[in-house]
Each structure stands twice: as structure tokens, then as C-alpha cells.
Amino acid sequence: MMPTPEEIREVLKINVKDPELMLNIVDLGLIYDIAVEDKSATISMTLTSPGCPAGPMILGDAQRYVHQAFPALEEVNIDLVWTPFWNPGMMSEDAKEELGIF
């Protein structure tokens, strides 16, 4: 049975953090879309900046944790996008509170 986008989002929320901010990538607002088709998942996401030094690690973690959680997926693709460009307003209220952004 294939996972739902919501199940994939939950795996990302639990397992993948920005190592500089120590917040998960879902609450940071970095996940834009998740599509599941046949035996493939595509995660459209961004980073806090194009030059994010932790970018390769974050992208690799996202792909690895989703693939581990759902071995029935033959492919887990990460689509790194820059539109819309990330901004702090995309964070969850919990993440904003954690970082002191009001």
C-alpha cells in the first residue's frame, strides 16, 4: 500500500531538521507539495536560502527517511524549487514562537 502525502509529511516532520535552526522542515515551511503516483513520491521543497550550507544534508535526509519509512516506494524524488522564495511567514506558529518571531 502506498503512503499518502500526509503520511510522508509526518515522516518528514518527525525526522528531518534544519541543523542550524533545530526545527523540522515541515514546521519551517520548506515543504511545498507532496505527490504520490504509482510507486513514486515527489516532494517539492525549498531551503531557507539558495546558499544554505546544510542543503545537501537536508535534501538527502528527506529522501532517505521517506524511502526507509515506505519501502514500497520505488522512487523518492526531491524537487528543489525556489518559487515562491521561502520567508519566515511560511513557518508554523509553533516554529515562529520557538524562534521568537511574532
Side-chain angles (χ1 to χ4, degrees):
M1 184 168 189
M2 290 298 114
T4 65
E6 293 77 20
E7 290 170 327
I8 292 173
R9 187 176 301 274
E10 190 62 24
V11 165
L12 294 171
K13 185 173 184 173
I14 292 169
N15 294 294
V16 185
K17 292 185 179 181
D18 180 309
E20 294 175 321
L21 299 173
M22 293 310 297
L23 293 171
N24 73 72
I25 63 173
V26 173
D27 284 340
L28 280 173
L30 301 180
I31 303 300
Y32 289 170
D33 188 47
I34 300 171
V36 179
E37 239 180 83
D38 298 321
K39 295 183 179 185
S40 177
T42 300
I43 301 165
S44 297
M45 62 177 290
T46 195
L47 298 169
T48 55
S49 72
C52 177
M57 185 188 83
I58 293 169
L59 300 173
D61 284 353
Q63 186 176 42
R64 182 170 39 91
Y65 279 110
V66 170
H67 193 67
Q68 286 175 351
F70 306 106
L73 288 172
E74 292 178 1
E75 290 184 68
V76 177
N77 302 302
I78 305 295
D79 182 18
L80 183 60
V81 296
W82 299 109
T83 304
F85 198 74
W86 181 86
N87 68 73
M90 296 172 157
M91 293 189 293
S92 71
E93 293 303 315
D94 289 341
K96 289 177 187 174
E97 186 176 314
E98 182 79 22
L99 295 176
I101 298 172
F102 302 99

